[in-house]
Amino acid sequence: MHKGKITAVADQIKEALGRSALRRLGDDSGFVIRQRAITADRFVPSLLKTLASRRVESLADLVRDFNSDHQLAIFYKPFYEKLDTPCFPRLMKSVFQSMLDTLCVQALAPLRGGPFARFRDIRLQDGTSFALHDGLAEAFHGRFTTVSPAAVELHCTMSLFEDNLCQVTITGDADCERHHLPDPKELEGVLIMGDRGYDSTSYMEAVDAANGFFLIRARKSLDPYVVRIYARGERYRKLEGSPLSSVLRRLPKDKSFDLDVCWEHRGELRRFFRAVVRWNPTKKEWVRLLCNLDRNSFSTNDILQAYRLRWQIELLF
């Protein structure tokens, strides 16, 4: 890495997690009233280091590491009391927000003159779940009540250009993931990608109306009408006007297809959008991608290759 970039990254870390920044966040959150031994600039780095480096069995592990890091002799009770206040989650939320806002660099850029150069960012949406102690089931309902009655899901939006999260919401695992998609008004000039589960037709229409772009994998249950198949041959013309599921049963599985589709809502045909479909021989199913990307600028192969980038958020998790 170039020396100038190293210096820039070091400055970003100081801005997010430096002593003066953490002291300010400690004061603003109410975590620090009087400057005693457990200050925000001591507590936060020790906590992050411990949680990131080893398995924590109890709060006593945090106390021991804190004392070791700063050559102190804090007892368990005053340390616990600092955690058992509303100020502690406010502080950690502020620290996390500061890290998201500050620790960002341009990690990826589209090719100049390429079709993706028109986007000011490409954002990926997904969620990841993990179980909690069963005693938290009332506050954080899990989807799989027998196995994990208490669980949470992190609903995350990732910037592909910055290779980092830009929005995170934590809810009970049973909460609907679609409710935590980015506001369409924030997506002007942005391409949003999502896996199955995010194929809300009303959301896609709202993104399109806001001059944003989407590339979202559709579930089998979303079964739009095929208006046009962009492939030569009379046999394909005969399939137009049928539901997508019916068309896919009759299409050959050895190539990809580019389609125009629309869906019905309360007896009326809704907005037309583009669908790209490809047979997955491993899972023995059709991959169905819906988008509003211009056919003259984005080929079928461009769409399929672009969607593979969605895996970056899985790697981040």
Side-chain angles (χ1 to χ4, degrees), residues 43-200:
F43 171 77
V44 172
S46 178
L47 177 67
L48 295 180
K49 186 205 74 172
T50 299
L51 294 177
S53 61
R54 68 185 183 90
R55 182 179 179 86
V56 177
E57 301 288 349
S58 67
L59 292 179
D61 294 336
L62 302 180
V63 181
R64 283 192 290 269
D65 283 5
F66 181 83
N67 286 329
S68 175
D69 291 339
H70 303 291
Q71 290 76 54
L72 296 172
I74 303 298
F75 291 106
Y76 180 88
K77 184 176 180 181
F79 191 91
Y80 171 79
E81 288 175 346
K82 293 294 289 185
L83 303 184
D84 191 30
T85 67
C87 302
F88 168 59
R90 281 204 298 268
L91 169 64
M92 298 312 298
K93 181 179 179 180
S94 298
V95 170
F96 184 59
Q97 288 177 327
S98 177
M99 293 171 68
L100 289 186
D101 292 340
T102 307
L103 302 180
C104 297
V105 295
Q106 184 81 17
L108 181 69
L111 294 174
R112 290 184 180 180
F116 295 93
R118 71 187 60 194
F119 304 129
R120 60 184 180 90
D121 198 1
I122 297 177
R123 295 183 187 168
L124 315 176
Q125 181 75 18
D126 208 345
T128 183
S129 304
F130 55 91
L132 302 177
H133 189 282
D134 290 353
L136 294 171
E138 186 174 345
F140 298 103
H141 302 291
R143 283 180 293 172
F144 310 103
T145 55
T146 302
V147 179
S148 301
V152 293
E153 180 165 3
L154 298 178
H155 305 275
C156 302
T157 307
M158 174 185 177
S159 166
L160 188 63
F161 287 177
E162 295 179 350
D163 194 30
N164 201 1
L165 296 174
C166 53
Q167 179 176 313
V168 179
T169 305
I170 185 169
T171 67
D173 191 32
D175 198 43
C176 180
E177 54 194 3
R178 291 187 186 181
H179 296 163
H180 305 284
L181 282 158
D183 189 334
K185 296 177 182 178
E186 301 174 357
L187 298 177
E188 183 177 358
V190 173
L191 173 63
I192 179 77
M193 293 191 201
D195 201 3
R196 288 173 293 190
Y198 294 103
D199 57 351
S200 165

